[in-house]
C-alpha cells in the first residue's frame, strides 16, 4: 500500500470521525451533568434535515447551520422537559426523540420537497466547502510532510476545524472553569450541588443546551459538508456510535477525540476495503461495520478497563423527599 | 405525592396521554396541509372498516403483542430491553433455519419447531447483554442497543453468504416449502362459519400471541418466579435481602423477554413472508416499547395497545395510499405516545392528581 493511500485513508478518517466527535462531545456534556442522552441520533437527524432544507431554500450553508442548531435545541428542550422538569425516564425520552426525528423529518421533507423525504442536492454556497490552508498547494511536493499537510490537515470544511477545537475547549470548560466543576459535580452528586445553593435544574438544562448546539453542528456537517443534501435516515446510527465512543472514552474529552477518530478510521477502512483478506481468514465488511458496537460491548463488560459512568446518570433529581 | 385511584392510574392517565399524542399528531397533519379529521376517517375506514382491514390490523397487532410483552416482562424487573428488534430478527433466523433445513411433515409440527427455534434464538441474543448486566453491571440499555446493530450486521452476513439462493442478488432466503404455510385467520373463522377476508396475512400465530398474553399474566402474578421478578423490580436491595438472586432474576427476565421478542418472527417470517428477508422485524421491536408503556406492562394492556398500534399501522398504510401523508406519520404518533406515556408521564399525572384532590375534597 502506498504512502498516498495511507494519507487518503486518514483523510477520510477525519471526515467520517468529525460528526462522531461532535456528537460524542454533546453526549459528554449531557451525561457528565447526569442526564443520559440516547437521543443524540435524533437530534443529529433533525439538524441534518433542517440544515439541508434551509441551506437549499436560502442558498446559505451558514443559515442552514443556524437552523440545524435551532432544531436540535428544540429536541434538547423536549428531552430536558421530560427528564429534568417532569423527572421522567431519560432513556425512554431518548427513544421517543429518536423516533420522533425519524418520523418528522420524512413527513416534513416529503411535504416540502416531494423527493421521498430527502432534500434536493445542494451546490455552491449552500454547502460548506473545503478550506485550503495557507501554502497547502505550495508545500504539496515536499516529501512526506507535504501530502500530510496538503491532504490531511488542509482541505476540510470549517466545521471540521471547529470540531477539533471543541476538544480542548471542552476540556477547558470541564476542568478549568467554575461551570465545569459544577457540571461534573451535578453528574456525580446533585444533592451536594443543591446544598451549595447552585441550581441542579439550571445546570442540567445548560448542559443539554450545549449538547443541542453540538449535535446541531454534527447534523449540519453531515448534510451540508460531508454529503450534498439530506437523505432519509442519513445519520445511519452515528448517534449510537458516538454514544459508544463516549463509553470508550470513559466520558473524557481527549479520549473522546481518540475513540471517535478510531471509529472514524474503522469506517474509512471499511469503505475502502469492503473485505479484508488476511490469507488465513477473510474479514467481512459486516464485521468491520459493526466493530464499534462489538468493541463497546467488550469495554462495557469491563474486560478492557472498567467504564464507570457519572454516578448520578439517569436519575432524576428530586429536591425534597 | 398523591396516590391516584387504581382505575385512573391504569386507564385515565394512559388514555389522556394518547389523546394528547393524537391531538399533536393532528396538528402535524394540519401543518403539512391535510385535514386531520379526514385523515382519521380514512384510517378508521382502512383499519377497522372491513374484515380485510381488521385482518391487517390484527396481523400487525400480533407482532406488537410479542414485542410488547417482551418489553413488559423486562420492565417488571426494572430492566429496559431496547434490544427487542435485534432479538426479533434473530428469532427470524431461527424460524428460517427450522423451516428450511428440517423436513417437517406438516405445518403444525413445523409451527411448534419454528416457535421453539424463534424463542431459542431470541433468548440467545438477549442472553449476552443479560449476563453482562447480571455479572459485570454493564448497562443493559446500551448493550441491547449495540446488540441491535450487531444483530442487523449478522443477519446481513448470514443472508448474503449462507441463506441467499445461488444466483440471487436479493439478500433474502429461499422460499419455505409450500406445505408449511400457516392457516390464515380467514380460513380458521371460515371453517366455523364466520365470514372473514382470507387476503390479509393474519394467521394462527394470533392465537399463540393471545396465549402468550395469558401465560405472561400467569407468570408475573401467579408464580413464585413472577413474585421474585416484581420484588426485584420494585427494590433490588429488598429483594436481595429476601434471598432473591439478582443474577437469576436478570437472566430469567431477559431470556423470557428475548424469547417473546423472537417469537414475533413466526408471525411475519413464517406466517406472512414465507422466507427470511433483510430487516424482517421492520422496527416492531421498538413499537414494543410504546405498547408496553401504554399497556402499563400489564398483558391485558399490552393486548389492547397492540390492537391500537396495529390499527395505526394499517390505517397509516391506507393513509399513505389515499393522501400525500407518508407512512412515517406512524413513527411520529408512536414517538409521541412513548413520550407522553413514558417520559412525560408526570406532566399528565400531576394535573390529574390535582383534579382528584379537588374533587375528593368537595365530596367529604
Amino acid at each position: 500500500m502506498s504512502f498516498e493511500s495511507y494519507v487518503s485513508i486518514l483523510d477520510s478518517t477525519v471526515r467520517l470521525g468529525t460528526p462522531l466527535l461532535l456528537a460524542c462531545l454533546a453526549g459528554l456534556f449531557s451525561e457528565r451533568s447526569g442526564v443520559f442522552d440516547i437521543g443524540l441520533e435524533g437530534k443529529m437527524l433533525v439538524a441534518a434535515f433542517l440544515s439541508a432544507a434551509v441551506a437549499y431554500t436560502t442558498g446559505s450553508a451558514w443559515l442552514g447551520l443556524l437552523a440545524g442548531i435551532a432544531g436540535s435545541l428544540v429536541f434538547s428542550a423536549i428531552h430536558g422537559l421530560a427528564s429534568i422538569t417532569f423527572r421522567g425516564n431519560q432513556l425512554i425520552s431518548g427513544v421517543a426523540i429518536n423516533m420522533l426525528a425519524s418520523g418528522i423529518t420524512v413527513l416534513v421533507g416529503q411535504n416540502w420537497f416531494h423527493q421521498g423525504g430527502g432534500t434536493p442536492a445542494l451546490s455552491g454556497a449552500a454547502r460548506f466547502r473545503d478550506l485550503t490552508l495557507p501554502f497547502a498547494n505550495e508545500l504539496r511536493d515536499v516529501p512526506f510532510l507535504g501530502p500530510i499537510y496538503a491532504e490531511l490537515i488542509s482541505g476540510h470544511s470549517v466545521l471540521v476545524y471547529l470540531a477539533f477545537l471543541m476538544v480542548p475547549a471542552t476540556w477547558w470548560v470541564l476542568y478549568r472553569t467554575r461551570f465545569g466543576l459544577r457540571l461534573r459535580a451535578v453528574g456525580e452528586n446533585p444533592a451536594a450541588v443543591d446544598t451549595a445553593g447552585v441550581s441542579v435544574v439550571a445546570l442540567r438544562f445548560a448542559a443539554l443546551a450545549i449538547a443541542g448546539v453540538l449535535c446541531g453542528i454534527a447534523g449540519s456537517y453531515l448534510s451540508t459538508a460531508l454529503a450534498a443534501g439530506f437523505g432519509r435516515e442519513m445519520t445511519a446510527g452515528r448517534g449510537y456510535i458516538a454514544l459508544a465512543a463516549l463509553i470508550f472514552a470513559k466520558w473524557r474529552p481527549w479520549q473522546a477525540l481518540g475513540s471517535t477518530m478510531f471509529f472514524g478510521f474503522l469506517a474509512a477502512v471499511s469503505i475502502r476495503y469492503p473485505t479484508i483478506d488476511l490469507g488465513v481468514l477473510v474479514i467481512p465488511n459486516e464485521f468491520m461495520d459493526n466493530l464499534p458496537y462489538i468493541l463497546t460491548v467488550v469495554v462495557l463488560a469491563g474486560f478492557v478497563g472498567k467504564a464507570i459512568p457519572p454516578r448520578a446518570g439517569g436519575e432524576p433529581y428530586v429536591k425534597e423527599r | 405525592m398523591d396516590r391516584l385511584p387504581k382505575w385512573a392510574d391504569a386507564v385515565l392517565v394512559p388514555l389522556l396521554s394518547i389523546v394528547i399524542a393524537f391531538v399533536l399528531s393532528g396538528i402535524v397533519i394540519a401543518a403539512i396541509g391535510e385535514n386531520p379529521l379526514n385523515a382519521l376517517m380514512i384510517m378508521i375506514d382502512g383499519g377497522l372498516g372491513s374484515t380485510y382491514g381488521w385482518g391487517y390490523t390484527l396481523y400487525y397487532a400480533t407482532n406488537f403483542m410479542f414485542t410488547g410483552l417482551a418489553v413488559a416482562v423486562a420492565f417488571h424487573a426494572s430492566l429496559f430491553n431496547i434490544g427487542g428488534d435485534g432479538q426479533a430478527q434473530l428469532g427470524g433466523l431461527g424460524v428460517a433455519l427450522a423451516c428450511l433445513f428440517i423436513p417437517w411433515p406438516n405445518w403444525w409440527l413445523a409451527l411448534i419447531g419454528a416457535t421453539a427455534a424463534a424463542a431459542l434464538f431470541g433468548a440467545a441474543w438477549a442472553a449476552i447483554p443479560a449476563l453482562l448486566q447480571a455479572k459485570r453491571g454493564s448497562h443493559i440499555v446500551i448493550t441491547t442497543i449495540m446488540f441491535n446493530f450487531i444483530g442487523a450486521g449478522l443477519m446481513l452476513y448470514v443472508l448474503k453468504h449462507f441463506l441467499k439462493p445461488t444466483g440471487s442478488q436479493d439478500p433474502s432466503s429461499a422460499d419455505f416449502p409450500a406445505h408449511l404455510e400457516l392457516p390464515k385467520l380467514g380460513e380458521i373463522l371460515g371453517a366455523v362459519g364466520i365470514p372473514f377476508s382470507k387476503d390479509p396475512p393474519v394467521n394462527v400465530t394470533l392465537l399463540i400471541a393471545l396465549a402468550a398474553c395469558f401465560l405472561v399474566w400467569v407468570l408475573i402474578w401467579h408464580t413464585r418466579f413472577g413474585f421474585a421478578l416484581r420484588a426485584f423490580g420494585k427494590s433490588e436491595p429488598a429483594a436481595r435481602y429476601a434471598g432473591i438472586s439478582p443474577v437469576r432474576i436478570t437472566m430469567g427476565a431477559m431470556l423470557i423477554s428475548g424469547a417473546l421478542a423472537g417469537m414475533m418472527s413466526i408471525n411475519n417470517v413464517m406466517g406472512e413472508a414465507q422466507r427470511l428477508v433483510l430487516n424482517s422485524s421492520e422496527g416492531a421491536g421498538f413499537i414494543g416499547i410504546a405498547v408496553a408503556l401504554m399497556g402499563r406492562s400489564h398483558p391485558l394492556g399490552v393486548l389492547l395497545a397492540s390492537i391500537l398500534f396495529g390499527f395505526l399501522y394499517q390505517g397509516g398504510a391506507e393513509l399513505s395510499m389515499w393522501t400525500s401523508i407518508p407512512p412515517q406519520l406512524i413513527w411520529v404518533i408512536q414517538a409521541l405516545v412513548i413520550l407522553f406515556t413514558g417520559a412525560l408521564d408526570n406532566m399528565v399525572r400531576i394535573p390529574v392528581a390535582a383534579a382528584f384532590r379537588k374533587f375528593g375534597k368537595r365530596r367529604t
Side-chain angles (χ1 to χ4, degrees), chain B residues 79-210:
Chain B
L79 296 164
F80 188 9
N81 176 16
I82 295 195
D85 214 54
Q87 290 144 18
Q89 295 203 17
L90 263 289
L93 180 62
V95 170
L97 294 180
C99 288
L100 286 171
F101 296 108
I102 300 176
W104 301 100
N106 54 37
W107 67 266
W108 60 268
L109 274 176
L111 179 62
I112 294 171
T115 308
L120 193 70
F121 274 64
W125 205 241
I128 303 166
L131 198 65
L132 290 177
Q133 165 84 48
K135 293 275 189 190
R136 322 268 321 178
S138 326
H139 205 301
I140 197 131
V141 171
I142 308 290
T143 44
T144 47
I145 289 177
M146 299 299 148
F147 265 72
N148 277 342
F149 285 104
I150 300 170
L154 181 69
M155 295 301 288
L156 180 62
Y157 180 72
V158 170
L159 279 172
K160 247 169 53 178
H161 295 271
F162 298 108
L163 289 183
K164 186 182 75 175
T166 39
S168 159
Q169 290 299 313
D170 180 29
S172 47
S173 80
D175 289 342
F176 301 158
H179 69 280
L180 298 189
E181 199 172 330
L182 298 177
K184 298 260 176 73
L185 186 67
E187 292 160 16
I188 299 169
L189 289 179
V192 291
I194 304 168
F196 195 92
S197 171
K198 292 182 181 64
D199 296 327
V202 60
N203 57 68
V204 65
T205 317
L206 174 66
L207 304 179
I208 300 179
L210 292 173

Side-chain angles (χ1 to χ4, degrees), chain A residues 75 78 95-105, chain B residues 331-332 335-336 339:
Chain A
F75 272 58
I78 297 174
V95 170
I97 280 175
N98 289 339
M99 264 186 203
L100 189 58
S102 351
I104 207 129
T105 49
Chain B
W331 286 88
V332 174
L336 291 171
L339 195 64

Side-chain angles (χ1 to χ4, degrees), chain B residues 58-67 69 115 203-216 260 263-264 266-267 299 302-303 306:
Chain B
L58 290 176
Y59 164 71
Y60 292 122
T62 307
N63 287 340
F64 305 154
M65 277 179 221
F66 284 117
T67 55
L69 287 175
T115 308
N203 57 68
V204 65
T205 317
L206 174 66
L207 304 179
I208 300 179
L210 292 173
C213 287
F214 177 72
L215 289 176
V216 166
L260 283 165
M263 279 161 70
M264 172 203 138
I266 47 177
N267 189 44
V302 167
L303 173 64
S306 298

Side-chain angles (χ1 to χ4, degrees), chain A residues 32 52 95 149 164 172 186 261 264:
Chain A
R32 270 297 175 107
V95 170
Y149 182 71
F164 276 80
W172 187 78
V186 84
M261 287 305 137

Side-chain angles (χ1 to χ4, degrees), chain A residues 118-162:
Chain A
T119 64
L122 303 176
S123 58
R127 273 189 83 188
F128 282 102
R129 265 162 299 181
D130 293 345
L131 303 179
T132 309
L133 293 186
F135 310 115
N137 289 327
E138 289 79 352
L139 292 173
R140 188 176 291 272
D141 296 327
V142 175
F144 190 68
L145 288 177
I148 289 183
Y149 182 71
E151 292 289 327
L152 186 57
I153 299 177
S154 170
H156 293 288
S157 97
V158 61
L159 297 182
V160 172
Y161 301 106
L162 182 68

